[in-house]
Amino acid sequence: MDDLDLDLLTLWTAHTHLAFETYSTPRLILDSSMPGSGKTTTLEHCSRLCFAPIQAASLSSPALLARMLHQGMRTILIDEVDRSLDPKKQGVEDLIAILNSGYKRGATRPVLTPGKGGEWDVTEMSTFSPVAMAGNAPHLPEDTRSRSIRVLLMPDLDGKVESSDWEEIEPEAEDLGARLAEAADQIREEVRTARPPLPAGCVGRTKERWYPLKRVAAAAGGRWPGIADQLIERDIEEQQMDREDGMTNVPPAVVLLRDIHQVWPTGSTFVPTAELITELIHHNPAMWGQGSSFGRDLTVQRLGRMLVQAFKIHSARQGDSKRGYHRAAFDVAFRRLRITPHIQTDGTDGTGRTDGGCSLHPTPQPAACYTCALTEGAA
């Protein structure tokens, strides 16, 4: 759908040869709304170009996958994940757990292996590996998607796509794969030590997904670092649009915090609990009223439990008044979740300062700092 995705596939393919050096490896999802979009063909290209590829049309057991990876890192290519990783299938949860944990180096899974005297030993087997998954709008868990980079494909109805006739192009593809592996060996140490800058807002899980590709792009040089930044910025923008369109599942506690910000009386520094609950029910009855999944209005106990468990925000008294909440108690949570703009602080609460640095670093801010990047994104 986007020519930039071809560059993305190029970077991801190259990174499979350097995944051990990049420490984490983003999962690649080849997605489409209908068959005949080129997903299997793309996996076939990956099988000629990626590091130690293995095509797994179906994975029979988590233990088999762990044993296979224990012999050495492989690039796992899974087709038709809309069926093979269907959450309704028995054992799929364990398979997905391996795919999720294996995106970081050092991840292992305990597997029973035969020992002496007929006993069984527990062996920690590595699950670290690059993974590409293809399917028609697969229903993958949110934690899997958060570790993945998605490429959308659509059918070529105009016949403009060059045919992948492997009888003709296989020798050339295999030669290209060998050259790619040789090039990776030459820059392995450079990629391992590289810490190139990232676009603003590329923090947390987003950084874990994209930093491996950015490090490979930095080692490649030329136009590639700029292309990686374009891809990262596009992903951040798409995440924001997903949130605005309601495509992202927001935890109830975060919805509560946003609604509290919306209903808080202007200029008030303290609001009694009962008054706050009344305003919340009026503002969002589907979430906090009798029409909610709880089937009854939000209670004092439920409000307090959600705020304490999610944000460590406690109620208090203002003089002899009834219990309620101080506006200042929400300041850090509001800023950390970007519900309010960044305000002037001295950094003592762990949030970024407005002087260009954070409480952990002097100015100018370093190239990659979670606090500085979060503050910059919220400003």
Side-chain angles (χ1 to χ4, degrees), residues 256 260 263-264 270-281 298-305 307 313-318 321-326 330:
L256 176 63
I260 288 174
V263 305
W264 195 276
F270 180 87
V271 175
T273 303
E275 180 180 329
L276 184 60
I277 289 176
T278 299
E279 293 298 325
L280 286 168
I281 294 173
L298 179 67
T299 64
V300 172
Q301 292 76 17
R302 184 178 164 216
L303 173 68
R305 185 167 57 251
L307 289 176
I313 296 174
H314 293 266
S315 63
R317 294 186 186 276
Q318 189 176 53
S321 66
K322 295 181 180 180
R323 296 191 71 86
Y325 291 88
H326 291 282
F330 294 90

Side-chain angles (χ1 to χ4, degrees), residues 151-173:
V151 173
L152 179 64
L153 295 94
M154 294 288 283
D156 172 38
L157 300 180
D158 299 324
K160 295 181 179 180
V161 175
E162 184 177 350
S163 173
S164 295
D165 187 340
W166 292 111
E167 186 176 5
E168 295 182 3
I169 68 174
E170 180 128 28
E172 183 181 356

Side-chain angles (χ1 to χ4, degrees), residues 30-37 39 135-138 150-154:
L30 302 173
D31 196 358
S32 70
S33 57
M34 59 186 297
S37 299
K39 300 181 298 298
N136 295 317
R150 175 175 175 259
V151 173
L152 179 64
L153 295 94
M154 294 288 283

Side-chain angles (χ1 to χ4, degrees), residues 96-118:
I96 290 178
I98 290 180
L99 297 179
N100 287 347
S101 67
Y103 90 115
K104 278 188 177 180
R105 197 175 74 202
T108 61
R109 174 187 173 86
V111 176
L112 290 174
T113 55
K116 294 182 179 179

Side-chain angles (χ1 to χ4, degrees), residues 11-22:
L11 284 172
W12 190 89
T13 300
H15 112 280
T16 65
H17 295 268
L18 297 156
F20 191 83
E21 282 70 30
T22 61

